[in-house]
Amino acid sequence: MSETFKAILISRDADKKQSVAVTDLTEADLMEGDVTVAVEATTVNYKDGLAITGKAPVVRRWPLVPGIDLAGTVISSSNPDWRKGDKVILNGWGVGETHFGAYAGRARVKGDWLVPLPDGLSAHDAMAVGTAGYTAMLCVMALERHGILPDRGPVVVTGAAGGVGSVAVSILSSLGYHVIASTGRNAESPYLINLGAAEVISRDELSQPAKPLAKERWAGGIDSVGSHTLANVLSMTSYGGAVAACGLAGGMDLPSSVAPFILRGVSLLGIDSVMAPKAVRLEAWRRIGSDLDLRKLASLSTTIGFDGIVETARDIVDGKIRGRVVVDM
């Protein structure tokens, strides 16, 4: 008899009403792929919260095992790049959206979606980073390519107490940037200062409708919020600056004007983590291994078990989660 393992399964009935249940699966239930991985750790991202709660159309195949991130060990492979025993990470590629994801004891995926676990990082460490932290590093790399280095001036991070924001603050401060952290949770100021923020400002300063141009306050930004917040960040970016946009926690709209772009030469840098090419992923994870302070990583993450995933998914959508959540499987 085939070995069974626990999994979270999202289903939908004939009336399109979504339900979430814990069930037992076998490897025969998994989807196609040329590598099977024993999942050792995963995480709960904002997107995972949206998938489990159904508050946004993240899931596009029914039924589906959610979970967009995993770290684990290859247990079988027909892909020439991977052998049994290899330690691997997966972020994105539609896993947890259209392909069975991480919230199960096993995952069968395409080998081209995997990257090696960097030296010095455990599976637990990698999931403390997760898609949120990997996305934060993609944002930092984009700012660097645009010439936004520490000597250019401050960098603002919005949604700073969230997953992307927490890792972004940590990485930027470790690289020598003057980091301005924006949060709607004033009680998190000590946490953000401990991660390396030089200043903490209230989300309220950026949440109202933006002027076409406002006083220049920073050379660059990393925004995971969107909507009015991103519009304000752009309007306050100094001449020749750049803002990396990677999220929509505050809305998908951008009620801005062309003024920052044509009068100050500001650049808006779009960051996609889901389909990023493998070479970019490898560089991002190499940089994570070298530039992220593991002590800070431990301070910005908490750990839960498999049974806590569903409740945590609801909490992250409700804005109750600080930093990163690691799931030890």
Side-chain angles (χ1 to χ4, degrees), residues 144-159:
E144 290 174 338
R145 287 195 300 271
H146 199 76
I148 309 302
L149 301 175
D151 61 1
R152 285 287 299 272
V155 172
V156 66
V157 176
T158 67

Side-chain angles (χ1 to χ4, degrees), residues 3-77:
E3 179 185 357
T4 63
F5 48 85
K6 286 198 300 184
I8 293 174
L9 199 65
I10 302 177
S11 302
R12 193 164 69 173
D13 63 20
D15 296 323
K16 297 186 177 181
K17 182 179 179 181
Q18 179 172 305
S19 61
V20 179
V22 175
T23 187
D24 289 324
L25 299 180
T26 69
E27 288 190 17
D29 297 311
L30 298 177
M31 294 176 65
E32 72 284 349
D34 53 11
V35 179
T36 302
V37 178
V39 181
E40 296 169 8
T42 180
T43 180
V44 182
N45 294 289
Y46 188 74
K47 183 181 281 188
D48 299 316
L50 293 175
I52 285 176
T53 61
K55 290 190 176 181
V58 171
V59 176
R60 299 191 295 278
R61 180 199 185 278
W62 308 91
L64 188 85
V65 175
I68 65 173
D69 283 341
L70 64 85
T73 301
V74 173
I75 55 177
S76 65
S77 172

Side-chain angles (χ1 to χ4, degrees), residues 208-224:
Q208 300 304 310
K211 297 177 181 178
L213 287 176
K215 181 181 178 181
E216 296 173 271
R217 297 178 64 178
W218 35 70
I222 294 177
D223 175 68
S224 59

Side-chain angles (χ1 to χ4, degrees), residues 83-262:
R83 297 182 300 174
K84 182 178 180 180
D86 286 343
K87 301 292 186 178
V88 294
I89 302 170
L90 188 147
N91 310 108
W93 294 115
V95 171
E97 300 179 64
T98 59
H99 191 96
F100 276 18
Y103 296 163
R106 300 283 186 272
R108 184 179 296 125
V109 299
K110 293 183 179 180
D112 291 344
W113 297 345
L114 299 169
V115 297
L117 181 71
D119 292 340
L121 291 185
S122 66
H124 182 100
D125 293 335
M127 291 299 96
V129 177
T131 282
Y134 149 68
T135 301
M137 180 55 81
L138 292 178
C139 291
V140 172
M141 290 164 56
L143 292 177
E144 290 174 338
R145 287 195 300 271
H146 199 76
I148 309 302
L149 301 175
D151 61 1
R152 285 287 299 272
V155 172
V156 66
V157 176
T158 67
V164 173
S166 292
V167 181
V169 169
S170 180
I171 293 171
L172 289 168
S173 65
S174 295
L175 293 172
Y177 288 85
H178 180 103
V179 182
I180 301 173
S182 168
T183 180
R185 293 178 268 175
N186 294 333
E188 303 294 5
S189 292
Y191 162 77
L192 293 167
I193 291 170
N194 184 58
L195 290 181
E199 303 176 50
V200 179
I201 63 174
S202 172
R203 175 175 61 195
D204 294 342
E205 294 188 36
L206 304 175
S207 61
Q208 300 304 310
K211 297 177 181 178
L213 287 176
K215 181 181 178 181
E216 296 173 271
R217 297 178 64 178
W218 35 70
I222 294 177
D223 175 68
S224 59
V225 179
S227 194
H228 293 295
T229 296
L230 177 54
N232 275 292
V233 169
L234 290 166
S235 76
M236 298 175 188
T237 299
S238 59
Y239 191 91
V243 178
C246 63
L248 44 67
M252 192 178 286
D253 59 324
L254 180 55
S256 183
S257 75
V258 298
F261 311 117
I262 66 174

